[in-house]
């Protein structure tokens, strides 16, 4: 595919009137969700306007197949310039500039995230996601919709009303104090996605990438300099011929110095604290692989992919009482496992391994390789104690806090006075 350049002039495409808070009704002035993005050409607009030059139909765009954007979006006087991108059937990602800051643009294209037993965790009905709220919906009604969604996802938390108000603030994309129908539709679609919801909830936390903007089901998050915990990128042709065991050993060679690895590891432990019984409940990390973690030039950990971090209440409700033959049928992602009750042939709702144990499993080889000899034995002992944590253990929360704090203290004491830290 050749280089395609699409240029457009930024302009105000809709009028924010009769919206939140002066009016009780959210009105659709423009009639299209894309019109809530005065400074951003929505992806479906590009697909619709460029079928001849790109060979791309509306259906092909929404399916996420055959689409790879090789080119540049240029916007005169607007906020976003997309430089280049990469695509998978589930997610399209672009590197770009947002208000003169580097960012990562994500466009969720998946039909759904399926649990192994066939239940959809994040229902994805293509354009149907944008059918709410409808024209004439009051702000109060929209707040009730969002509240009900949060109650289903997060459980009956006492402070859900605060989160609803936070969402209304975030939904006001152009910060004029009002929420248009287009902005409300876009916010509703994005709230179905766990990563977006988590970025809003943890927006003030150090290890969560900042949400820079959104439009439709496209959103922009801060760019992270290093997008994997360790390893080296190789052409896929070469990857085919490298044994997985040798690949893992080779990856460990391409890591920062040990003090910097320790600082990154402390960041992961702090993120585990952030999602463990936070203000809006507990979130489960269901894919703790190195490719989902990154770090910046100061070696502060940043999460680069949070799509498989899900609300515990949501997952328990979906997984319980599902038919199973063995424990292998009771898995979501790669790391969230419950057990199969052989007497009823149903999955139980209690996840076996806590987030901290999964994080320590990931960090074990990462931290032990090159660890200073004077702390290696103690570090290994603490890591194995951490990996052995079970959700069902008595006083698990106390053990969780004790092990986490001991690990952080051990690492900080060793690196506090080093230049690398």
């Amino acid at each position: 595919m050749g280089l395609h350049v699409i240029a457009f002039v930024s302009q105000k495409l809709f009028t924010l009137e009769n919206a939140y808070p002066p009016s009780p009704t959210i009105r659709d002035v423009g009639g299209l969700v894309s019109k809530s993005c005065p400074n951003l050409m929505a992806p479906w607009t590009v697909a619709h306007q460029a079928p001849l030059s790109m060979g791309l139909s509306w259906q092909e765009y929404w399916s996420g197949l055959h689409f790879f954007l090789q080119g540049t979006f240029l916007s005169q006087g607007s906020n976003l310039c997309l430089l280049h991108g990469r695509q998978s059937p589930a997610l399209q990602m672009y590197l770009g500039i947002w208000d003169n800051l580097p960012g990562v643009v994500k466009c969720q294209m998946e039909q759904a995230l399926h649990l192994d037993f066939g239940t959809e965790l994040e229902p994805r009905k293509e354009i149907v996601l944008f059918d709410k709220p409808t024209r004439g919906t009051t702000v109060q009604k929209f707040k009730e919709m969002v509240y009900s969604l949060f109650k289903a996802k997060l459980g009956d938390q006492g402070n859900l009303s605060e989160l609803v108000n936070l969402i209304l603030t975030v939904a006001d994309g152009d910060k004029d104090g009002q929420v248009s129908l287009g902005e409300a539709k876009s916010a509703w679609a994005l709230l179905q996605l766990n990563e977006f919801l988590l970025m809003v909830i943890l927006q003030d936390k150090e290890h969560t990438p900042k949400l820079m903007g959104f439009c439709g089901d496209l959103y922009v998050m801060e760019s992270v300099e290093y997008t994997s915990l360790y390893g080296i990128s190789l052409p896929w042709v070469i990857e085919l011929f490298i044994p997985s065991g040798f690949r893992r050993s080779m990856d460990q060679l391409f890591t920062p110095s040990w003090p910097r690895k320790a600082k990154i590891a402390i960041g992961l432990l702090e993120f585990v604290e952030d999602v463990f019984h936070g203000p809006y409940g507990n979130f489960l990390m269901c894919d703790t692989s190195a490719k989902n973690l990154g770090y910046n030039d100061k070696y502060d950990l940043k999460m680069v992919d949070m799509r498989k971090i899900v609300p515990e209440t949501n997952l328990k409700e979906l997984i319980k009482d599902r038919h199973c033959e063995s424990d292998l049928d009771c898995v979501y992602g790669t790391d969230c496992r419950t057990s199969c009750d052989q007497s009823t042939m149903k999955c139980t709702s209690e996840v076996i391994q806590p987030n901290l144990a999964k994080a320590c499993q990931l960090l074990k080889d990462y931290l032990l390789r090159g660890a200073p000899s004077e702390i290696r034995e103690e570090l290994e002992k603490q890591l194995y104690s951490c990996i052995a944590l079970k959700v069902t253990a008595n006083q698990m929360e106390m053990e969780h806090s004790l092990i986490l704090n001991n690990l952080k203290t051990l690492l900080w004491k060793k690196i506090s006075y080093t230049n690398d830290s």
Side-chain angles (χ1 to χ4, degrees), residues 7-25:
F8 62 98
V9 178
S10 174
Q11 55 181 324
K12 194 73 170 178
L13 295 179
F14 66 100
T15 304
L16 286 173
E17 58 184 11
N18 297 323
Y20 163 77
S23 167
T25 303

Side-chain angles (χ1 to χ4, degrees), residues 8 10 15 70 74 85 92 105 121 136 142 176 194 203 214 219 223 254 320 400 402 419:
F8 62 98
S10 174
T15 304
Q70 181 182 2
L74 298 176
Q92 294 186 27
V105 184
L121 185 65
F142 181 58
D176 70 341
N194 289 318
Q203 61 180 332
F214 64 91
Y219 54 97
S223 178
F254 295 91
K320 70 176 183 179
H400 182 285
L402 183 63
N419 293 329

Side-chain angles (χ1 to χ4, degrees), residues 162-236:
E162 296 177 12
L163 184 56
V164 172
N165 291 331
L166 175 60
I167 292 300
L168 286 180
T169 301
V170 172
D172 179 18
D174 59 359
K175 306 304 178 189
D176 70 341
Q178 304 176 5
V179 177
S180 72
L181 180 62
E183 288 172 331
K185 283 177 178 283
S186 182
W188 178 257
L190 286 169
L191 287 174
Q192 314 303 314
L193 305 174
N194 289 318
E195 181 173 62
F196 183 85
L197 176 59
L198 200 57
M199 279 197 293
V200 174
I201 290 175
L202 300 179
Q203 61 180 332
D204 296 326
K205 300 297 183 180
E206 178 183 1
H207 306 295
T208 305
K210 302 304 179 187
L211 179 65
M212 300 169 70
F214 64 91
C215 173
D217 64 353
L218 175 154
Y219 54 97
V220 187
M221 55 194 290
E222 83 173 286
S223 178
V224 179
E225 285 83 352
Y226 302 94
T227 56
S228 181
L229 188 62
Y230 54 75
I232 182 172
S233 297
L234 296 173
W236 66 271

Side-chain angles (χ1 to χ4, degrees), residues 79 97-102 212:
N79 291 330
I97 303 297
W98 178 275
D99 278 342
N100 298 318
L101 296 173
M212 300 169 70

Side-chain angles (χ1 to χ4, degrees), residues 3 111 132 234:
L3 178 67
Q111 290 284 350
K132 295 179 182 179
L234 296 173

Side-chain angles (χ1 to χ4, degrees), residues 312 350-355 389-394 396-397:
E312 181 180 33
E350 211 56 58
V351 175
I352 296 171
Q353 197 175 32
N355 292 336
L389 274 174
K390 300 293 183 184
V391 170
T392 54
N394 292 331
M396 190 279 294
E397 291 195 20

